[in-house]
Amino acid sequence: MDGDLGDFLRSRRARIQPEEVGLPSHGRRRVPGLRREEVAQLAGVSVDYYIRLEQGRGPGSTSRTKSAGVSDAVLDAIARVLRLDETEHAYLHAVARPPKTAERRRSAPRVRPGIQLLLDSMERTPAFVLGPAMDVVAWNALADAVLGFSRIAPAHRNTALQLFLDPGTHDLYPDWAAVAAQTVAHLRLGAGSHPDDRRLREVVGELSLKSEDFRRLWADHQVKACMYGVKRVRHPLAGLLTLPYESLVLPETPDRTLVAYTPEPGSETAERLTLLGSWASTGA
């Protein structure tokens, strides 16, 4: 995913108007937002330095090392000028200074047996585990009853691939557009943290090739950690389910995230999940 740093910086300066940072807005501008020279001036760095950074080249860098030499102070100043939020700020650091190859973790193929036992013990809570590329690596029976993981081919048992390549997901998710935007923002955040993850590259490549919706959203460079929220699922048997969710990073494997749907006890959704779990347990 080469070019992420430059594309991200260009997209973020394009959304800042000169008058927002105290600069005159008169005169014709060839591009929207701030010019590179203005970002450099406001951040207190030379224009050449900022241009090199936007090209993915830091001080003393080569085509292989990219911007590894850029300091925290410079990145923090640029984040301030571009008005990045906390998640965008962390993403800027990640893509500007990717970890050395020797320090990059290889993704484990599956979860520990203890994690699977934990999932299975959550009989009233649909829960599953995602990898950095949004592959579903483990799940419990109720999550399978809601989302049908076991019926998906292993190579495409991935929430992003399913969302954009399976037309049926437009019926499954009444708020498909919002779910799609959140998914891409989360996937891009993962790309910043795992720049050399082969599986993540494969997923982004396949979606870029096959989905116009994905290409459009990916080009927006939105980054967001979707760690909690609410999703609505229209299940063919149980009907409309309103599912608050919580996401927890597994301590020993920080590239694994456990996602649990947590409807309010006694709610209509909770009752429908109980009924769905009963159907699933009897093989209905």
Side-chain angles (χ1 to χ4, degrees), residues 37-60:
E37 295 82 358
E38 293 167 337
V39 176
Q41 175 188 349
L42 292 168
V45 300
S46 71
V47 175
D48 180 68
Y49 188 106
Y50 179 77
I51 291 175
R52 289 172 64 85
L53 183 63
E54 201 168 275
Q55 293 172 343
R57 301 179 296 117

Side-chain angles (χ1 to χ4, degrees), residues 145-157:
V146 173
L147 297 172
F149 295 132
S150 63
R151 298 191 296 275
I152 302 171
H156 280 78
R157 194 176 289 145

Side-chain angles (χ1 to χ4, degrees), residues 156-179:
H156 280 78
R157 194 176 289 145
N158 176 289
T159 56
L161 292 177
Q162 284 295 307
L163 184 67
F164 286 97
L165 302 184
D166 182 354
T169 59
H170 286 267
D171 293 326
L172 181 65
Y173 296 108
D175 310 307
W176 187 92
V179 174

Side-chain angles (χ1 to χ4, degrees), residues 23-81:
L23 294 175
S25 59
H26 57 79
R28 183 177 180 181
R29 288 177 174 261
R30 292 179 298 175
V31 294
L34 296 178
R35 300 186 178 101
R36 291 182 296 186
E37 295 82 358
E38 293 167 337
V39 176
Q41 175 188 349
L42 292 168
V45 300
S46 71
V47 175
D48 180 68
Y49 188 106
Y50 179 77
I51 291 175
R52 289 172 64 85
L53 183 63
E54 201 168 275
Q55 293 172 343
R57 301 179 296 117
S61 65
T62 68
S63 60
R64 294 184 64 185
T65 60
K66 293 193 175 181
S67 52
V70 65
S71 69
D72 285 345
V74 168
L75 294 177
D76 292 344
I78 292 172
R80 172 181 52 79
V81 172

